[in-house]
Amino acid sequence: MQRNSLHNPYPVIEKDGTLSFGGNQAWSDSAVMRKCGCGVIGGTDLLLYLSLHKDICRTELFQEAYLENGILELPEYLNYVNYMRKRYLPVIPYFGMAGWMLVLGLNRYFRHERIRLRAAFGVFPRNLWVRISAMLAHDIPVILLVGPNFPFVWGKHRLNMYHRSAGGEYSPSCQIKAHFVTVTGMDETWMRVSSWGKEYYINRQEYYNYVRKHSSFLISNICYIKSR
């Protein structure tokens, strides 16, 4: 059981009879999106969740997003992703999206839709867990950037992501760097995240150690959203 979790189900997309946990850039027809589109997916899923579950964030764009059973069809979801990429969340080929680019796009969306929220990239390291907890308590998904190695950006250090078994045991599943994930829950040890349409877990101390030793809190941090 998560100490802090989102209050509502995270977006679910049906593809080939399988249900996802959030979106997946690998579904896109665009090679650029498949390689560098994790920021677009994180931003789209965030705005979709807010529009569906928070009255102050409801917009016409997402009004018809869900079927009666609460599951998005893949073509409909990809239409939202493509719209957000073209309008608010551009991707730079071979580079992707920096944290500051993500928050610029989110703030443009908030202004255009007259939503009284504001996004900023980065919090002080000492406040990281407090800010994540506060956002989850206010039912706001937390986009987390696991940045590249720094200053040697071509370094090979990566962060583990884990699967959790039905019995509650955690086992390493894959490793990431320069990648956006979305935190949907957190306890004293683990963050539950959405990535590539699946549920993973990141160890809080391992994330902190990765940023301190191999990256930087200037480029590995959260998209902090609060009321304005």
Side-chain angles (χ1 to χ4, degrees), residues 202-220:
I202 291 175
N203 183 282
R204 286 173 45 168
Q205 190 60 53
E206 288 184 6
Y207 175 79
Y208 202 88
N209 291 344
Y210 169 84
V211 179
R212 287 184 64 245
K213 295 178 181 179
H214 306 303
S215 187
S216 166
F217 282 101
L218 295 175
I219 55 175
S220 294

Side-chain angles (χ1 to χ4, degrees), residues 185-204:
M186 185 175 73
D187 62 18
E188 289 81 1
T189 305
W190 298 94
M191 293 181 284
R192 183 183 63 209
V193 304
S194 167
S195 179
W196 297 306
K198 297 180 180 180
E199 179 182 273
Y200 292 101
Y201 289 81
I202 291 175
N203 183 282
R204 286 173 45 168

Side-chain angles (χ1 to χ4, degrees), residues 76-123:
E76 191 172 21
Y77 175 75
L78 290 178
N79 285 340
Y80 292 130
V81 171
N82 292 333
Y83 177 85
M84 296 305 299
R85 179 189 174 192
K86 293 176 182 177
R87 186 80 182 267
Y88 298 105
L89 302 172
V91 178
I92 300 176
Y94 307 107
F95 176 78
M97 182 185 299
W100 62 267
M101 295 172 61
L102 175 64
V103 300
L104 282 178
L106 293 177
N107 285 328
R108 283 187 60 215
Y109 175 87
F110 292 148
R111 288 193 301 270
H112 183 264
E113 299 293 343
R114 295 180 173 86
I115 296 172
R116 297 189 63 80
L117 294 176
R118 182 169 181 80
F121 182 74
V123 298

Side-chain angles (χ1 to χ4, degrees), residues 17-44:
T18 301
L19 302 182
S20 76
F21 185 63
N24 183 350
Q25 62 266 34
W27 297 334
S28 176
D29 292 333
S30 164
V32 173
M33 271 294 296
R34 292 195 298 271
K35 184 175 180 61
C36 307
C38 53
V40 181
I41 297 298
T44 301

Side-chain angles (χ1 to χ4, degrees), residues 11-60:
V12 175
I13 299 92
E14 182 176 6
K15 181 180 184 295
D16 300 330
T18 301
L19 302 182
S20 76
F21 185 63
N24 183 350
Q25 62 266 34
W27 297 334
S28 176
D29 292 333
S30 164
V32 173
M33 271 294 296
R34 292 195 298 271
K35 184 175 180 61
C36 307
C38 53
V40 181
I41 297 298
T44 301
D45 286 1
L46 166 72
L47 298 177
L48 173 60
Y49 182 92
L50 293 177
S51 182
L52 292 169
H53 299 306
K54 294 182 79 69
D55 289 342
I56 65 169
C57 300
R58 293 193 185 278
T59 65
E60 292 186 6

